[in-house]
Each structure stands twice: as structure tokens, then as C-alpha cells.
């Protein structure tokens, strides 16, 4: 490339941990290939990452990488998060979007990017027809199956299969969605589909962004061909240029120089301080004896639900490591009124921490099962680690993920829409012993397929190489146009 004309990629994740985390992993993969990367983050998100992670040291070895920040337009006191999505979206559309265009035109973000890798959950952030015209690669951080489910919602509404008419309607099978025949029930559709009114803003927004993602120059998915081939084939009919390059965390480890990644590389990009004491606790436990419990960075449960899980875990008689975020339990009353039996059962067999290094935990020899919210990042981490899952999904794509985990991939159990101690205890024991042999065959085979996909010659490895080549080609085409 001529001096000053080299591939430059601007990356902009949606401001939520489950979106920022995989985008950072993709940024590191692209940096390893020598591309110039500008990573744009919302101010508040960036500050929390700097406070609780080794973000700056991790990227300091890449001379062509730099962080930039932008405002989301909300006051510093704002704590709505994803629970008030409409406020965030409205603010980003009115404040962040014009500011982003101004930063692109002024050169504040460096040379005009060769392409923008934009989180597909706010496809509206860049107008493809506005100057400067920059190809947009939409990165959807959800599974291919949930992306396809979102894409199918307009047809389901048109056919009268939605809205869901009530609780008695939840187990009705969804018909006519290619690749999902005899799989999805109403309760397995993305959570936004459960609204009674099909004009509900959050449903309309989610569907609209999915449709816009399909119109982008390319679609990036954190998945792999051997896991979701039938669904990827369906999506390609609408969006032919797809890069399926996951699981990103496994891909990153396979390409990182050196025989073994340093422990800090394996730590999640988190908003809370990681409590690594849980690893020492795991070291003292027998092989495959511990259930790891984590509901991610967004899930909030009521005090009664929290107690049902606690009872269920103690009643199961199994060892457990439970991540209880500071803001996870609404109305939690601390130690007041906690039954002595639960306290004693936790002391005997349990360990509770505020935030854990999840990849390291799942890879630990002591872990035998994973009770999860079925977020896509956590699901992929469970798959790669070869750990059977118990799924308790709450939000967005998680409901579809959990159905595929249990009914299609056969690598776990779905506890959707249930929260009582007897069910928790039963499913823990099913995963740890009663149904373990049934689950472990598919679990081990799926883990092997995940690892092989990111090794040289694997489908995800080849798709990443193709994406890097295509970015370089876009740069050459722009240079030739200038010349």
C-alpha cells in the first residue's frame, strides 16, 4: 500500500457488556493480522473497562490500534441500561449519530475508514448513502438461530401466528420458519415477541435492526458452520456475504502467539472487579463435582427467585460456585432472614463471588455443569469448554439459544419460564449425574467441532481470512479510485 493509504477499520459496539466483549475480541484478531483499528466506545463503558480490566495493556502491543470515545448523550447519573432501551436509542440517534458523522468528516477518528464494523443492534448509526460513503459490516453478537428468529417475526405477524395470545398459547409450535420446523414454540421466540401488541416499540425496533443488518455490505456472526449450518444457509438467501468466524474467544486463543495465553488474556472484559479467589476454591474440589452458576451481566431477579435458586442448589447436595453481581437481586435483604440451613449448606458446598473469570472457571477440571442465562457469549464459552448446560433464559435472544441447546444440539437442559427449588435441584442432579452420559456425547463432539473450526483450514479460520482479504481489497479499490 502507498504511504497513508492502508486498510483502516472503525469498530463501534452497542454499549452493553455482551456486545462490547466480542467486539473487543474481534478487534484483537484483526489487530493480529496487522490491520489499523480504531475502536470507538461510549465514554462511560470505556471508563468502567479501564477500571476493571487490563484493556490498555492488552492492546498496547498493537501500534496501529487506538481507542476513541464518544458520548451516548445521556447524563452521567443515568442507570437505565438495557431496561430503558428506548431512552438510550433515542439519545444515540439524536446526539451520538450526528457527532459520529462529524468526527468522521473532521478526521478526528483518523483517515476515512476502509469500512465500519458496526454493531447490528444499532444499524441506524451510519447512513450508507451519506458522505463519506463507507461500507458497513454489521456485527450481530447473537446466534444465527436467534438472528433468523428475529428476521422471521414480520412474516409470523402477517400470518397471524403472533402476537402470543396468553400463557396457554406459549407451547404452540411456530410453523413455516425455514430451518426451524418442529423446533420453536411461542415461548422460544426472542423475548420481545411476547408483547401482546405487535406495534410495541421494542419489538418493532429489534425487528427493524435485524432487517437493516441484512442490507449491510456484509454480516459478521460469532458462530461456526458445524453448529448452525442449516440456519446460516437460510440467512444467506437474504444476506449472501456472511462471515461466520466464531467462537471468537477460541479463535483468539488459537491465533495468539505463544503456546499458552497469559491468564489475564482469558479474563472477561468486565464491568466489575474479578474475584480470582474462586479459582483457588475450585482447586480444592474433586473433578467434575461443581456446578458453575452465572446469569451474566444484565439479568436481574427478584428476591424470591434468588431464594428458590439458593434452596435448589443447596437441596441438590452438589457443590456450586455462584456469581452474584452487586446489582443482580432486586430487593435482596442481605443476611436478614436467610435460613440457617442455606447458610450452612453454602459454607459446606458453595462459594459465592461478585464476578468470576468465566473462561478460566469453565475450563477448570472441577466444573461439571453450567447453570446459565443462555447469553450467546456464555453459551459459546460453555460449548468450547465441553460443559453441559442448564438454561434459564430471560431476555432477547436467550430464549431461542436455550431451545437449540436442549432440542437441537442436545448439550443441555432448558429450564425456561420455571423457577422453583425442586426443578433447580432436579436439573442440577440430571446434568451432574442422572442424564450425564446422555449429554456428554454431544457435548464432547460439539466442543471438538468448535475448536477445529478456528484451527487453520477450519470454517471460521477461513471466513476470517476471507474477511481480512475483503477489507484489503476494499482499500485497494478506494486507492485506485483516488488515483
Amino acid at each position: 500500500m502507498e504511504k497513508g493509504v492502508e486498510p483502516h477499520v472503525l469498530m463501534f459496539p452497542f454499549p452493553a457488556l455482551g456486545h462490547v466483549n466480542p467486539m473487543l475480541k474481534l478487534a484483537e484478531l484483526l489487530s493480529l493480522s496487522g490491520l489499523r483499528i480504531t475502536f470507538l466506545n461510549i465514554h462511560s463503558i470505556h471508563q468502567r473497562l479501564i477500571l476493571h480490566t487490563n484493556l490498555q495493556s492488552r492492546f498496547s502491543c498493537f501500534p496501529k490500534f487506538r481507542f476513541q470515545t464518544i458520548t451516548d448523550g445521556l447524563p452521567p447519573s443515568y442507570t437505565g441500561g438495557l431496561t430503558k432501551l428506548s431512552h438510550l436509542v433515542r439519545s444515540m440517534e439524536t446526539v451520538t449519530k450526528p457527532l459520529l458523522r462529524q468526527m468522521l468528516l473532521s478526521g478526528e477518528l483518523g483517515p476515512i475508514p476502509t469500512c465500519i464494523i458496526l454493531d447490528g443492534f444499532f444499524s441506524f448509526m451510519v447512513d450508507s448513502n451519506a458522505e463519506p460513503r463507507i461500507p458497513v459490516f454489521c456485527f450481530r453478537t447473537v446466534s444465527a438461530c436467534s438472528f433468523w428468529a428475529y428476521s422471521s417475526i414480520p412474516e409470523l405477524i402477517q400470518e397471524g401466528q403472533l402476537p402470543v395470545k396468553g400463557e396457554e398459547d406459549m407451547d404452540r409450535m411456530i410453523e413455516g420458519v425455514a430451518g426451524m420446523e418442529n423446533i420453536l414454540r411461542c415461548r422460544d421466540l426472542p423475548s420481545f415477541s411476547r408483547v401482546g401488541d405487535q406495534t410495541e416499540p421494542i419489538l418493532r425496533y429489534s425487528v427493524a435492526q435485524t432487517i437493516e443488518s441484512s442490507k449491510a455490505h456484509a454480516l459478521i456472526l460469532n458462530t461456526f458452520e458445524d453448529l448452525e449450518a442449516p440456519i446460516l444457509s437460510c440467512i444467506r438467501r437474504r444476506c449472501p456475504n456472511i462471515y461466520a468466524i466464531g467462537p471468537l474467544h477460541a479463535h483468539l486463543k488459537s491465533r495468539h502467539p505463544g503456546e499458552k495465553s497469559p491468564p489475564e488474556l482469558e479474563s472477561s472484559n468486565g464491568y466489575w472487579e474479578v474475584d480470582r479467589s474462586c479459582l483457588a476454591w475450585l482447586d480444592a474440589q474433586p473433578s467434575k463435582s461443581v456446578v458453575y452458576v452465572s446469569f451474566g451481566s444484565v439479568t436481574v431477579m427478584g428476591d424470591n427467585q434468588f431464594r428458590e435458586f439458593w434452596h435448589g442448589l443447596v437441596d441438590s447436595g452438589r457443590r456450586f460456585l455462584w456469581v452474584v453481581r452487586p446489582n443482580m437481586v432486586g430487593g435482596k435483604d442481605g443476611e436478614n432472614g436467610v435460613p440457617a440451613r442455606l447458610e450452612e449448606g453454602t459454607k459446606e458446598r458453595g462459594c459465592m463471588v461478585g464476578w468470576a473469570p468465566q473462561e478460566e472457571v469453565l475450563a477448570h477440571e472441577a466444573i461439571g455443569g453450567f447453570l446459565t442465562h443462555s447469553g450467546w457469549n456464555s453459551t459459546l464459552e460453555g460449548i468450547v469448554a465441553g460443559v453441559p448446560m442448564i438454561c434459564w433464559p430471560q431476555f432477547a435472544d436467550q430464549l431461542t439459544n436455550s431451545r437449540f441447546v436442549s432440542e437441537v444440539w442436545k448439550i443441555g437442559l432448558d429450564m425456561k419460564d420455571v423457577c422453583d427449588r425442586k426443578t433447580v435441584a432436579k436439573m442440577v442432579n440430571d446434568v451432574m449425574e442422572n442424564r450425564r452420559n446422555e449429554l456428554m456425547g454431544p457435548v464432547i463432539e460439539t466442543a471438538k467441532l468448535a475448536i477445529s473450526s478456528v484451527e487453520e483450514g477450519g470454517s471460521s479460520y477461513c471466513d476470517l481470512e476471507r474477511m481480512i482479504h475483503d477489507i484489503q481489497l476494499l482499500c485497494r479499490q478506494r486507492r485506485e479510485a483516488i488515483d
Side-chain angles (χ1 to χ4, degrees), residues 251-304:
H251 210 153
L252 183 56
K253 286 182 188 177
S254 74
R255 294 204 180 205
H256 211 274
E259 293 184 6
K260 190 177 187 304
S261 302
E264 62 269 18
L265 183 67
E266 301 177 13
S267 296
S268 301
N269 303 299
Y271 291 171
W272 301 276
E273 185 176 355
V274 171
D275 186 344
R276 299 182 66 84
S277 67
C278 61
L279 295 172
W281 182 84
L282 286 173
D283 289 341
Q285 310 307 315
S287 175
K288 309 301 179 193
S289 67
V290 178
V291 179
Y292 172 57
V293 186
S294 177
F295 299 118
S297 60
V298 174
T299 299
V300 175
M301 63 175 67
D303 189 56
N304 287 338

Side-chain angles (χ1 to χ4, degrees), residues 337-352:
V338 174
R341 184 174 62 80
L342 291 185
E343 285 189 348
E344 193 57 36
T346 304
K347 288 174 186 175
E348 289 175 1
R349 295 183 299 276
C351 175
M352 299 170 82

Side-chain angles (χ1 to χ4, degrees), residues 36-91:
R36 176 174 183 164
I37 306 294
T38 300
F39 196 96
L40 186 63
N41 231 339
I42 298 301
H43 296 312
S44 56
I45 300 284
H46 190 66
Q47 290 305 313
R48 291 180 73 175
L49 290 170
I50 287 174
L51 185 62
H52 296 300
T53 73
N54 59 347
L55 195 67
Q56 290 176 306
S57 63
R58 267 175 53 198
F59 285 93
S60 62
C61 59
F62 302 118
K64 294 182 181 180
F65 181 94
R66 68 170 179 158
F67 285 108
Q68 285 275 64
T69 59
I70 193 169
T71 182
D72 57 9
L74 294 167
S77 58
Y78 177 80
T79 57
L82 290 180
T83 60
K84 296 181 180 177
L85 182 63
S86 59
H87 294 186
L88 175 63
V89 169
R90 194 179 307 117
S91 180

Side-chain angles (χ1 to χ4, degrees), residues 316 318 368 388 390 413 422-440:
S316 74
R318 304 288 170 178
I390 304 166
L413 308 176
K422 287 184 179 180
T423 303
V424 172
K426 181 183 183 301
M427 288 208 171
V428 166
N429 279 311
D430 281 348
V431 159
M432 298 300 284
E433 183 175 358
N434 301 334
R435 296 180 61 182
R436 190 165 188 83
N437 290 340
E438 167 194 338
L439 293 168
M440 286 311 296

Side-chain angles (χ1 to χ4, degrees), residues 234-469:
C234 295
I235 298 173
R236 286 189 181 102
R237 296 172 198 163
R238 298 185 184 180
C239 184
N241 192 19
I242 295 178
Y243 306 108
I245 58 175
L248 281 170
H249 72 290
H251 210 153
L252 183 56
K253 286 182 188 177
S254 74
R255 294 204 180 205
H256 211 274
E259 293 184 6
K260 190 177 187 304
S261 302
E264 62 269 18
L265 183 67
E266 301 177 13
S267 296
S268 301
N269 303 299
Y271 291 171
W272 301 276
E273 185 176 355
V274 171
D275 186 344
R276 299 182 66 84
S277 67
C278 61
L279 295 172
W281 182 84
L282 286 173
D283 289 341
Q285 310 307 315
S287 175
K288 309 301 179 193
S289 67
V290 178
V291 179
Y292 172 57
V293 186
S294 177
F295 299 118
S297 60
V298 174
T299 299
V300 175
M301 63 175 67
D303 189 56
N304 287 338
Q305 291 176 313
F306 177 72
R307 286 170 179 270
E308 288 299 306
F309 273 108
W310 201 352
H311 276 283
L313 290 167
V314 171
D315 291 351
S316 74
R318 304 288 170 178
R319 294 172 172 86
F320 61 91
L321 167 58
W322 191 0
V323 175
V324 182
R325 294 188 333 266
N327 62 345
M328 189 182 86
V329 184
K332 184 182 175 186
D333 58 6
E335 295 300 313
N336 296 332
V338 174
R341 184 174 62 80
L342 291 185
E343 285 189 348
E344 193 57 36
T346 304
K347 288 174 186 175
E348 289 175 1
R349 295 183 299 276
C351 175
M352 299 170 82
V353 295
W355 198 243
Q358 182 159 293
E359 287 178 48
E360 289 178 81
V361 167
L362 285 170
H364 198 284
E365 174 64 23
I367 297 297
F370 182 17
L371 175 46
T372 172
H373 65 307
S374 295
W376 188 234
N377 296 323
S378 291
T379 300
L380 285 175
E381 287 165 10
I383 285 173
V384 171
V387 179
M389 290 173 256
I390 304 166
C391 304
W392 191 63
Q394 296 298 298
F395 183 70
D397 61 306
Q398 299 164 11
L399 287 80
T400 307
N401 297 340
S402 66
R403 183 65 169 177
F404 271 69
V405 164
S406 65
E407 298 303 312
V408 178
W409 307 321
K410 312 287 188 183
I411 55 176
L413 308 176
D414 192 356
M415 202 171 73
K416 181 184 289 109
D417 297 327
V418 178
C419 184
D420 66 78
R421 63 192 71 182
K422 287 184 179 180
T423 303
V424 172
K426 181 183 183 301
M427 288 208 171
V428 166
N429 279 311
D430 281 348
V431 159
M432 298 300 284
E433 183 175 358
N434 301 334
R435 296 180 61 182
R436 190 165 188 83
N437 290 340
E438 167 194 338
L439 293 168
M440 286 311 296
V443 164
I444 292 168
E445 180 60 25
T446 307
K448 287 178 181 176
L449 292 172
I451 296 299
S452 64
S453 74
V454 300
E455 293 173 340
E456 189 168 358
S459 61
S460 295
Y461 182 99
C462 292
D463 262 17
L464 180 63
E465 289 297 305
R466 180 168 62 88
M467 184 170 82
I468 292 167
H469 174 268

Side-chain angles (χ1 to χ4, degrees), residues 97-173:
K97 181 177 177 177
L99 181 57
L100 172 60
R101 187 161 180 270
Q102 180 185 324
M103 292 170 77
L104 284 167
L105 290 169
S106 69
E108 189 175 343
L109 297 174
I112 295 297
T114 307
C115 64
I116 298 175
I117 296 181
L118 181 69
D119 194 304
F121 202 56
F122 56 17
S123 302
F124 66 82
M125 195 57 65
V126 175
D127 290 329
S128 56
N129 294 324
E131 293 297 333
R133 293 194 177 185
I134 305 170
V136 172
F137 291 31
C138 259
F139 181 23
R140 290 306 298 254
T141 58
V142 296
S143 59
C145 58
S146 65
F147 180 87
W148 187 234
Y150 275 121
S151 301
S152 305
I153 287 173
E155 287 85 357
L156 296 178
I157 292 173
Q158 191 173 6
E159 294 165 3
Q161 294 195 61
L162 288 178
V164 180
K165 296 176 177 63
E167 182 58 36
E168 68 282 355
D169 201 31
M170 293 293 263
D171 288 318
R172 171 170 51 85
M173 296 300 294

